[in-house]
Structure formats: structure tokens, C-alpha cells
Amino acid sequence: MTITNDTALGKDRDMTQAPFETALEQTAPKRPNFLMRLISQPATVLALLWVFLLIIVAIFAEHLAPADPNASNVMDRLRGMSLEHLAGTDDLGRDLLSRAMWGARVALLAVVMAVGPAILVGVPLGLFVAYRGGWWDRIIMRLLEVEQAIPMLLLAFTFIAILGRGLTNAMLAVSVGFAMSYLRLTRAIVLAETPKAYVQAAEVQGYSTPRILFRHILPNAIGPIAVQTSILAGVAILLEAMLSFLGLGVGTGSPSWGAMLDDARRFQLQQPLLSLVPGIAITLTVLAFNLLGDGFRDAFNSDIIMTKRKKERLLPAAPIVAPEPFAQEPDSTEKTVLSLDKVSVEFPGHDGAYQKVVNKVSLSIKPGQIYGLVGESGSGKSMTSSAILGQVPKPGRISEGSIRLGTRELVGLSDREMRQIRGRDIGAVFQDPMMALSPVHKVGDQMIEGLVRHEGISRKKALVRAAELLDLVGVADARNRLNEYPHQFSGGMAQRAMIAAALICKPQLLIADEPTTALDATVQKQVLELLRELRDTLGMSILFITHDLAVVGQLCDRVGFMKLGELVEEGTAEELFSAPKHPYTRQLMQAREVLDGPIEETP
């Protein structure tokens, strides 16, 4: 059955805000992509040109160099600049310009040998220890501290003493030090990103740990890693030159900038210009890599806005087919979608003893029912939802009780088993949609990940369903909005997209954890009406967590009040608003009436 937007979203709704939001988003200036922001910086462009030129010279040195870098001619030793030798000659009569050009190959090879293995080892290890935590993190960080206490040059001398001289052995030691830098940087980024809502949303969708780390968290670390790589590339060139200057890098006679400086030192009095060519090469290259680091940093963090926007080719809208209305079974009133029986969650205190933050909470939600869980901040509402989702933060634990989704017991399931349930059987919508959506992935890609994982359908079919749901929740031009990023959505539209993403696998239960707190009053009303209409259309059950009694009176069928981790009173919304029994419930009602007046229930 096909349902139009007016039917799905309600004809009586005040839709003045949605077109206004859409108009704002369509006329908003577009943020340029990373490449445009990068090349808008003149210093960065010059640095890029120098590095590109260096790469070309290094690759084609045998064709571009005017002479053989090792061809000596004692008759031409220590000559100055001339048409035959544009940069002069060294003590053996070798052409300095040719040796400098071949030295570019040694310098870039040193960068690859030092930075490449460091990234391959340091970044995954940093992701692992930060996300895993516990003893893994403690042991790795203690070893890292020991390594950091050893100067890098001393470490290089040790490797060379054991393995012998040579560029490979020298850069191996440097790579070990660089890997520790990447580990420390990546670990810090993961620790900052893991608590964010978009990571929790990925966990709710049932994604595996490697997918969360590499698909969601790592892209947010690309910027700092790129900056670090650029800076360490310059450091690697300096260290290679230093070791070659000391005779510990490349072999004797090899064209290296550091070895050229060593030769210049010995014959400085006879030919003062000997150090000019390698010195300029090292200075410009290191400076270029440092300027690239600054450019990458500014490009990744830039808020530059393009005032002109190119017209984008619009994709044809996908046909919108709403899901069939929910039909309750005759005996559905006797069934429950979710039931909690004396569930307790506890955390260890400072003295080592466990303290309960949720204490023997019991509740049940029936098919098509909206259950409001109310209480002040810190009352245990969100921790109760975390227990349902199997996301109690460590070292917390569910110490007792039963949580059943339909007839399946959730307490005691492994992380792998819970990943099969999250996103497919239980959906979740969080408080701040901009934090719950990954900023570096398109909205459509984030919506369909759970669907592709749980149902194994193709990406093309998943995008069609995602467009249908976006249209169902009131996002105009849904097909094209799938290709946009979260920052191109307003707060209200981003929350609608989050709701659509939570519904894409048709879950039995939707957990809405204060989904309207971060929205303004007009958009808040629209989201609440949307949830009610989705319940009526799809027949799903909703656990609505909030501290706003006005919202509860308008939306919920049944309500539970929490205080200090306990469910102190429960009943229908009509019963509790007309005659609350518990003193805490009465206090909340009285406080709400004093501040905002009596609650008006919406039929």
C-alpha cells in the first residue's frame, strides 16, 4: 500500500518549519572540499610543488641528472660554478648537482622506510589498545614510556651496532621511534572519539569492533595522522642526513645529502660553496614538509565557506512505498516486546565495593506502546537503556535481573550475540543527532550499514529503502539527501535521519534517549508528532527516556518515574498525571506546574 507524505506524517501537523529548514539548507553556502581548502593556501601550494618536483627528480634521476653522480675527474676537483658544472664539483671532481639530484632518491627512500612501517604498526596498535583498554593499554603504554626515554639517535646507534651500517638498518631504528609517536597520537584520538554518540550508534547497529575502529573512528583520525606524517617525513630526512654525515647511513661514496655535507666539512676552506647545494636541498625539503603539515592542519580544520555553489545534478527520486500498517494480533495485549525484571547495574567504588546505580528496576512494554521513563539527571534512565542494549560502560556490570526482548533473554549474551540484536531488533535514537552521526561519512552510507550487515541485501536496494524511510520521516528530496554529509543537515533534519536509520531494519523496539533535548521547541514538537505517527503506522514499541513531563503527557501511554536508580512509581499517563501516589512523583508534578502551568495532554 502506498502512503503519501501527508498520510504518513499527519495532515494536521504545522509544516511551516520543515520548508523553512529546507530552504535554509538549500541556500546555505557550501563548505569546500579538502583539496580546495588545501590549494587555497599559497605556502602549501609552493610546498606541494617542491615535494612533487623532488619526487619526479628522485624517480627519473638517471635521466635528469647532467652527469654520472659517481664519475670522478681529479682535474676538475673543487671547481666552482660553471656552464659545465652548474653547482660545481667536489674533492673528487664529481658533479654536485647530479649528486644532489640522486641524493633526493636517498632522502625520499629514507622517508618511505621510516614512516611507512611506522604507520602500519603504530596506527592499528593505537586503535587496538585505546579501544580495548584494560591490561593491554597499561602494558603497551609502559613499554612506550620506556622507549620514549631512549633518545632516537642512541636507538639508531644501537641498531647499527647490532645489524651493521646501512640506510635500511638506520631507518629501521627511526621507524621504531616513529611508530611509538603514531601509537600515542592514535590512542589519544580514539579515547576522545569512543565516548561520542556516533560510536555508540555504530555499536547499537551491531557493527563489529574492527569495523567500528577502521570504518568510523579511523577516518576521524586521518587529519591528525596526515599532519603527523608530514612532520615526521621532514624529521626522517634530517635524521638520515645526520647519520650519513656521521658515516653511519648510506655506504661510502653514495650520493646522499648528509654524506655531501661531510665531504664539504673536510674541504670547507678550499671550496666554501661545497655545502651550499646539499644544505639548500635539506633546508627546502624539510621546510616544505613542515609547511605541508601546517597546510593539512588548516585544511582539515578550516571553516572556509564558498559563496558560489555549482549546480549539482539531481538524481531521479526513488519511488516511495511506505511499509504496510501494523496489524496487532488478537492476543497481543498479553504479550510484551520488552520486559525488565528486577534489573540492577553496579559499578565499583573507591573502596573496591560495588555500588548500584540501577536498583531492581522492573517494567514491561507491550506491542505498539510508548513507555516514558522519567526522572531527573542521574536517576538511572540512560543507564537502564544501556543495560537493555548491552552497553553498560566498563567496569560496570548487570549484577542481577532479567531483560527479555520478546521471549529471548538478553542478560548474559556475548558482544557478538548482542551485535546481531542491536540495529535489527532494537533501534536507538540519541540526544544530539550531530554527535550521533559520523561527520566524515555520507548520511546514506551510515543509514544502510546496519541493513547491509543484518539482511545481506545489496547497497543499491538498501539505498532505496533508506530513501523511502527518509521520505517517510519528512525529509524532502530524500534520494539526493542521502549523498550529503551531516553538517549539511539542520538539527531537526539530522534527528529525522537518525530516526530513519534506527527504523531501517524494522526493529521491534525503538529506544529514544532524550531525542528532543537538543532541539528548539518547534522542531521538538515535530519530532514528537513524528514518533507518535510512526508508532501508529508501523506499530513499533518505543521506550522514550526524558526528564520533560510535558513531553510525556503529550506522547506516552505508560510512564515510569525513576529516582536514585529505582523505579518509584509506574502506571498509565492518565493515572499518574491525575493522581500521583509517590511523594517524588507529586513533587515533580508540582514543580512542573509551578514553572510552566498544568500539562495539556494531546489525544
Side-chain angles (χ1 to χ4, degrees), residues 4-15 533:
T4 65
N5 292 345
D6 287 340
T7 303
L9 299 178
K11 295 181 180 179
D12 299 331
R13 178 145 39 120
D14 179 9
M15 293 297 291
E533 289 156 2

Side-chain angles (χ1 to χ4, degrees), residues 15-57:
M15 293 297 291
T16 58
Q17 182 71 10
F20 178 69
E21 287 181 353
T22 304
L24 280 179
E25 290 166 0
Q26 290 177 348
T27 59
K30 182 181 178 181
R31 187 171 185 257
N33 59 34
F34 169 78
L35 182 59
M36 293 297 296
R37 299 194 302 272
L38 190 66
I39 64 176
S40 66
Q41 306 171 63
T44 304
V45 172
L46 291 176
L48 280 171
L49 290 175
W50 176 260
V51 173
F52 180 74
L53 177 63
L54 198 69
I55 293 174
I56 295 299
V57 169

Side-chain angles (χ1 to χ4, degrees), residues 300-350:
F300 278 112
N301 299 329
S302 175
D303 291 325
I304 300 172
I305 298 297
M306 293 178 66
T307 56
K308 297 181 180 180
R309 181 175 183 177
K310 295 181 179 180
K311 294 182 179 180
E312 297 179 351
R313 181 176 61 89
L314 296 180
L315 297 174
I320 307 301
V321 181
E324 293 291 335
F326 174 77
Q328 287 188 337
E329 297 179 7
D331 62 343
S332 63
T333 55
E334 302 300 325
K335 295 182 179 181
T336 58
V337 172
L338 177 74
S339 62
L340 277 67
D341 183 20
K342 297 180 180 180
V343 174
S344 296
V345 178
E346 59 185 17
F347 285 81
H350 295 295

